[in-house]
Amino acid sequence: MDHNKNSYPAVFSCLIIILYSVHLINAMPDASYYDKSDGPLSYNFYDKTCPSLGMIVRWGVWTALKNDTRMAASLLRLHFHDCFVDGCEGSVLLDDTKDFKGEKNALPNRNSARGYDVIDSIKTEVEKSCPSIVSCVDILALAAREAVVMSGGPFWPVSLGRLDGLTASEKSANEQLPSPFEPLDNITAKFVAKGLDVKDMVVLSGAHTIGFAQCFTFKRRLFNFKGSGKPDPSLDTSFLSNLQTTCPNVDKSNTKLAALDSQTINKFDNTYYKNIINNTGLLESDQALTGDPKTASMVKDYSSDSFLFAKDFAASMVKLGKIGVITGQSAGQVRKKCNSVN
Ligand code: HEM
Ligand SMILES: *[C@@H]1O[C@H](CO)[C@@H](O)[C@H](O)[C@H]1NC(C)=O
Ligand SMILES: *[C@@H]1O[C@H](CO)[C@@H](O)[C@H](O)[C@H]1NC(C)=O
Ligand SMILES: *[C@@H]1O[C@H](CO)[C@@H](O)[C@H](O)[C@H]1NC(C)=O
């Protein structure tokens, strides 16, 4: 019996070794095995110039998450807010200067975006090993991926070689980032304007499977929905009363937090979609995905197939990470510090 039990893994190990060898033999003579380029970017961009990059980023994200689990969500959102505003070029990381008002104080980011300090400290470590080699935007793209993987979500390959931009714009951030109060059609249009589509929008919204939102981002659903004097009728009643306890009408500060996915708060899974199907989506913009037949059918698919969600989320993150990248030396630089241009 014992022998039989053990012989299966042995057979599989042999098979894996054989298949792997065949793969290596096939790949070896191919030049693209060494030059893993991906358009203007490349998967092995820093392999020679900063071989410890991957390890430093992983360590930095891991220690940040160990102290504050929510930081995974915050890093993912920061990468989204970087890429969605004038492209992935690290603009979200820049402080205001006398020449421009940056994105940190734009409405969607002010008192809301987090993780700048984590990126800054990873950058400091990277500079010690490989000074002036690795851009801040690439560090953020890698950190977002590590954060999702460490939260139980999918891995996606991050091609590298983006340069940091030279400016940032508060106006662009206010105009280009989606608001939880605008209709689905408007949010869709913002994704399309970035070369993303409806499917990308639905699957990337699944990022709201982790992290938190402040009361003011959903409070009008709780007491006075669209001037009706009543709560949003689409909200599950027990979920509604929990939220009314978290965000009482009398609390005017509205900065308390509610989990975007109240069922599995810190776990990157497909529960977000299950929630919106049973009317426990937190933001209006989350719940709106069930209100349109096209997006509703995707929500249904992702709610019932966690592998499909993981696969499609990874693919859309790759697309997100390539929006408006800068690779020409004249238009960008490798910042020495992430919060200011050189
Ligand atoms: C579809 C349109 C979207 C809207 C309207 C939206 C809106 C919001 C809002 C209002 C919050 C709460 C912010 C706060 O209260 O401080 C939030 C949090 C978050 N968003 Fe989105 N978002 C959208 C898409 C995305 C996408 C595409 C991603 C990433 C791929 C993302 C990732 C996150 C994460 C992870 C959080 C939690 C952050 C934390 O806890 O620090 N969101 N979003
Ligand atoms: C740990 O996380 C808390 C927030 O939960 C934050 O205020 C604090 O600065 C973090 N500490 C370190 C060392 O990052
Ligand atoms: C949605 O987009 C339309 C057309 O661009 C615009 O007129 C309208 O003000 C937007 N609605 C909201 C709530 O942002
Ligand atoms: C909503 O869905 C979640 C996840 O499947 C489930 O655990 C929860 O009990 C549901 N809530 C309601 C009110 O149906």
Side-chain angles (χ1 to χ4, degrees):
M1 271 317 269
D2 269 340
H3 172 78
N4 270 347
K5 255 191 217 160
N6 291 332
S7 66
Y8 285 103
V11 168
F12 281 123
S13 307
C14 285
L15 248 168
I16 287 165
I17 290 165
I18 291 165
L19 289 175
Y20 195 64
S21 316
V22 170
H23 169 77
L24 281 182
I25 292 161
N26 281 337
M28 290 275 225
D30 184 352
S32 70
Y33 186 77
Y34 301 100
D35 169 30
K36 299 175 189 162
S37 64
D38 177 34
L41 305 177
S42 145
Y43 293 105
N44 56 355
F45 194 81
Y46 301 112
D47 277 8
K48 290 207 173 67
T49 53
C50 194
S52 52
L53 173 64
M55 217 192 62
I56 297 171
V57 174
R58 223 164 294 140
W59 174 252
V61 172
W62 190 78
T63 48
L65 264 56
K66 205 161 163 269
N67 171 54
D68 172 14
T69 318
R70 182 189 174 194
M71 192 48 74
S74 307
L75 290 170
L76 174 58
R77 183 170 186 238
L78 204 54
H79 176 49
F80 166 54
H81 282 202
D82 179 23
C83 291
F84 222 68
V85 179
D86 299 331
C88 311
E89 23 66 305
S91 56
V92 73
L93 304 172
L94 289 174
D95 290 337
D96 293 357
T97 69
K98 60 176 173 27
D99 300 318
F100 60 78
K101 281 177 124 182
E103 293 160 28
K104 284 185 175 176
N105 289 309
L107 285 175
N109 293 331
R110 189 193 309 154
N111 301 322
S112 169
R114 308 166 77 242
Y116 300 111
D117 43 345
V118 174
I119 298 302
D120 289 346
S121 77
I122 294 175
K123 172 67 171 177
T124 303
E125 290 307 308
V126 171
E127 287 299 288
K128 283 183 200 160
S129 295
C130 2
S132 292
I133 299 287
V134 183
S135 64
C136 295
V137 54
D138 276 348
I139 290 174
L140 179 53
L142 284 169
R145 195 270 311 278
E146 298 308 338
V148 168
V149 170
M150 288 175 199
S151 306
F155 175 94
W156 62 91
V158 177
S159 51
L160 300 164
R162 302 165 188 79
L163 286 174
D164 296 321
L166 306 176
T167 188
S169 164
E170 178 176 17
K171 186 166 174 283
S172 294
N174 282 331
E175 287 172 0
Q176 296 171 23
L177 288 168
S179 148
F181 306 113
E182 62 185 344
L184 187 63
D185 284 347
N186 291 39
I187 294 177
T188 305
K190 287 180 173 178
F191 276 75
V192 169
K194 298 295 165 188
L196 302 177
D197 57 26
V198 175
K199 183 178 165 188
D200 296 313
M201 177 187 68
V202 175
V203 76
L204 290 176
S205 295
H208 291 173
T209 176
I210 53 174
F212 293 81
Q214 299 171 73
C215 294
F216 74 86
T217 65
F218 55 86
K219 196 168 181 182
R220 75 171 188 179
R221 304 185 73 196
L222 309 184
F223 301 101
N224 185 12
F225 187 58
K226 296 183 174 170
S228 65
K230 295 197 187 84
D232 183 341
S234 75
L235 268 172
D236 174 84
T237 49
S238 78
F239 186 59
L240 168 66
S241 65
N242 289 343
L243 292 178
Q244 285 172 331
T245 308
T246 309
C247 309
N249 211 1
V250 291
D251 174 11
K252 299 297 175 211
S253 74
N254 290 320
T255 56
K256 291 215 186 72
L257 298 172
L260 283 157
D261 166 8
S262 56
Q263 298 296 317
T264 56
I265 299 179
N266 295 310
K267 190 163 185 293
F268 199 100
D269 57 14
N270 66 339
T271 309
Y272 168 83
Y273 299 100
K274 297 181 185 174
N275 292 341
I276 56 181
I277 282 177
N278 67 17
N279 293 322
T280 56
L282 186 62
L283 306 176
E284 279 169 49
S285 50
D286 295 326
Q287 199 55 59
L289 295 177
T290 55
D292 169 283
K294 190 169 177 201
T295 56
S297 84
M298 296 181 208
V299 166
K300 196 161 164 285
D301 292 344
Y302 292 137
S303 75
S304 61
D305 187 343
S306 57
F307 291 101
L308 180 71
F309 168 57
K311 175 170 111 13
D312 287 357
F313 185 82
S316 291
M317 285 306 296
V318 168
K319 277 173 88 174
L320 177 71
K322 291 180 184 173
I323 297 172
V325 298
I326 304 171
T327 50
Q329 293 293 329
S330 59
Q333 60 181 209
V334 172
R335 276 179 220 149
K336 292 190 196 318
K337 295 185 79 186
C338 293
N339 65 347
S340 61
V341 298
N342 297 338

